[in-house]
Amino acid sequence: MTLALETTDTGLKVRIRLADGTWFAVCDLSALLPGRGVAALLPDGRQAAVFTDRTGGLYAVDNRDPFTGAAVLSRGLTGTRAGRPFVASPLLKQRFDLETGRCLDDDAVRLRTYQVEAA
């Protein structure tokens, strides 16, 4: 049996800015819980991992783990390092800065980041 989390609909949608400058609604803001990600399928076929933190900050990065190729980053653990938010891959545990996409464990690797807002 799967239990659905109870949420309160705020009427706000989380939107990601696409490469062409348009905004794409991915979910209700109430679907995001601090420390847990949501995967969103974008119009171009890519997937984004969307997160919020305890202060209400919103972040979106590619959902694809560049080390394994698996679309799993939305299932990763979030935390902070030196005051910067990151997500750790659930597979090999590499950490990615949620603001810049930079891998904190390998400077040669970077995720695509997306501008995100609640509107």
Side-chain angles (χ1 to χ4, degrees):
M1 172 171 56
T2 301
L3 298 176
L5 296 173
E6 184 177 328
T7 59
T8 304
D9 186 10
T10 62
L12 293 174
K13 300 286 185 199
V14 175
R15 304 184 318 167
I16 291 177
R17 187 178 201 107
L18 302 176
D20 65 4
T22 61
W23 290 92
F24 180 74
V26 295
C27 67
D28 289 332
L29 181 59
S30 61
L32 293 176
L33 299 173
R36 306 201 57 194
V38 170
L41 181 60
L42 303 178
D44 66 1
R46 292 180 187 258
Q47 291 183 30
V50 184
F51 300 91
T52 188
D53 60 20
R54 287 184 172 87
T55 65
L58 292 170
Y59 310 95
V61 297
D62 271 338
N63 193 36
R64 189 181 145 281
D65 180 335
F67 290 95
T68 65
V72 296
L73 290 180
S74 63
R75 297 181 182 179
L77 299 174
T78 60
T80 58
R81 177 180 177 221
R84 306 222 14 121
F86 71 82
V87 61
S89 171
L91 298 178
L92 300 177
K93 310 302 184 238
Q94 283 90 356
R95 297 165 299 155
F96 299 93
D97 186 305
L98 286 172
E99 293 176 343
T100 66
R102 185 176 68 87
C103 180
L104 302 177
D105 303 300
D106 184 340
D107 284 334
V109 179
R110 187 174 222 93
L111 295 175
R112 171 185 254 178
T113 60
Y114 297 90
Q115 186 178 355
V116 62
E117 70 175 14

